[in-house]
Amino acid sequence: MLSVTFLGTSAARPTVERNVSGVALVREGETLLFECGEGTQRQMMRYGVSFALSEIFFTHFHADHFLGVIGLIRTLGLQGREEPMRLYGPRGAKKVLTQAISLGVERVPFEVVVTEVKAGDVIGERGKGKGEGYDIRVFGTEHGGGSVGYALREHERRGRFDVEKARAAGIPEGPLWGKLSKGEPIELADGRKLTADGFVGPKRAGRLVVFTGDTRPCASVVDAAAGADLLIHEATFGEEEKERAKETGHSTAQEAAQVALAAKARRLVLSHVSARYSISADELVKEAREVFKESTVAKDGMTIEVPFSD
Ligand SMILES: [Zn+2]
Ligand SMILES: [Zn+2]
């Protein structure tokens, strides 16, 4: 299972309806947080996101993307957490996050490890022992200050095990099926030795979920999101504020849709919307769908399941 819950979908400042940036991704029981705007911990409680997480990924350090880590870390400390917490962010992460963690008089009673990342980095070989693993690739975005986005790419999955063929070959159901489906050779009671060839289909693609953070539409996002099952792209503005989007390093809904189209993504979810769309983002949805049909605008508390494409 892989699902994404939007904890905050407002740009720059919270509104009555929407909190500032935060996305929780849950995969095989593991929770990852992308951004942690002010108030994120309360959104986690409200929408049932586990506090038993050990990593938070930041795209850049505008206040609406990280102020929530100050409070979240304190709460985890009060809860008696002992496990380390790992924080990732672009250049400047060490300084900003270390300040955030040390602000105030309390001491954080667990280890917090801050890692600075840059475009092209791969935070790899993850999730082993819980189905197939995955990598998190860091890609560049256009928002100034070395801003980055994150792409979670699952490793290829095993091919399908052909039950009918296994039966026809007289292989008894049980441990031998298990071995063969993992690609291991087997020996039958009658002495026949078989390899997995012909019993297991070609490897199947894993899922790709891409999170841009704040950005202008750009080629590096198109590359990172090529064939994505889910692209989460910012869309701060509508078409009527196209110029403003350019000036402030943001995207319009339609520009984000063009990125999704160019990337041949399966699905686009827009977030980080300007306060004027707080109550209704219908205009943004309409503008995006003119370019890319599978577009929606996230709401706080919205959860999306990301299925395999086959
Ligand atoms: Zn922002
Ligand atoms: Zn920003």
Side-chain angles (χ1 to χ4, degrees):
M1 192 207 79
L2 198 172
S3 72
V4 169
T5 297
F6 290 84
L7 300 169
T9 57
S10 181
R13 63 178 176 86
T15 64
V16 171
E17 300 79 21
R18 296 175 185 264
N19 200 49
V20 284
S21 291
V23 165
L25 185 149
V26 180
R27 181 187 176 278
E28 306 287 343
E30 180 188 31
T31 301
L32 306 176
L33 203 58
F34 293 88
E35 319 280 44
C36 189
E38 178 192 349
T40 293
Q41 58 170 325
R42 194 141 182 273
Q43 298 292 82
M44 291 169 75
M45 295 173 201
R46 184 174 287 157
Y47 302 124
V49 172
S50 170
F51 273 39
L53 74 157
S54 46
E55 289 169 303
I56 309 176
F57 300 84
F58 298 90
T59 63
H60 67 299
F61 294 105
H62 283 151
D64 56 319
H65 296 257
F66 82 94
L67 284 184
V69 77
I70 298 172
L72 175 60
I73 293 276
R74 300 308 184 286
T75 299
L76 295 174
L78 288 173
Q79 289 177 341
R81 181 191 176 101
E82 290 176 354
E83 302 76 36
M85 172 70 84
R86 290 186 292 282
L87 308 178
Y88 301 88
R91 194 175 63 221
K94 283 215 160 106
K95 184 170 172 238
V96 174
L97 294 173
T98 304
Q99 284 172 344
I101 293 152
S102 50
L103 188 65
V105 294
E106 300 95 349
R107 286 290 143 246
V108 178
F110 53 89
E111 190 189 6
V112 181
V113 185
V114 181
T115 305
E116 293 196 352
V117 296
K118 58 183 187 314
D121 286 356
V122 177
I123 307 164
E125 296 305 310
R126 307 165 50 89
K128 282 284 161 68
K130 299 173 192 164
E132 310 285 330
Y134 65 95
D135 294 329
I136 292 182
R137 285 153 199 266
V138 184
F139 58 91
T141 56
E142 283 184 24
H143 191 59
S147 63
V148 297
Y150 297 94
L152 184 149
R153 183 187 288 281
E154 291 179 325
H155 299 161
E156 282 184 319
R157 291 171 295 150
R158 283 182 209 147
R160 264 184 229 288
F161 182 60
D162 194 329
V163 169
E164 294 309 316
K165 267 193 187 159
R167 281 210 179 97
I171 306 166
E173 192 171 342
L176 290 178
W177 280 26
K179 273 190 152 181
L180 212 51
S181 71
K182 284 183 205 155
E184 296 167 17
I186 58 164
E187 187 171 344
L188 297 178
D190 62 11
R192 274 188 296 154
K193 288 181 180 160
L194 297 171
T195 66
D197 290 352
F199 295 103
V200 178
K203 284 193 166 186
R204 293 170 293 164
R207 291 165 289 196
L208 174 62
V209 177
V210 176
F211 179 76
T212 68
D214 295 2
T215 187
R216 288 288 299 145
C218 59
S220 56
V221 176
V222 174
D223 287 347
D229 295 273
L230 173 64
L231 170 60
I232 302 166
H233 199 294
E234 76 121 294
T236 310
F237 299 111
E239 278 310 284
E240 60 178 331
E241 288 185 286
K242 210 180 166 94
E243 282 309 308
R244 200 166 157 215
K246 204 182 265 179
E247 286 159 19
T248 55
H250 289 294
S251 302
T252 67
Q254 204 155 77
E255 286 170 336
Q258 274 149 1
V259 170
L261 183 72
K264 297 188 169 67
R266 291 165 60 82
R267 186 168 186 189
L268 171 67
V269 178
L270 302 170
S271 188
H272 196 274
V273 301
S274 160
R276 66 189 296 176
Y277 305 106
S278 186
I279 294 173
S280 170
D282 291 352
E283 202 179 317
L284 299 183
V285 175
K286 186 172 156 277
E287 289 175 0
R289 284 187 186 165
E290 282 168 16
V291 171
F292 187 77
K293 205 167 152 284
E294 295 303 318
S295 304
T296 43
V297 173
K299 280 186 181 144
D300 287 20
M302 182 172 104
T303 294
I304 291 179
E305 302 282 340
V306 184
F308 286 108
S309 56
D310 61 349

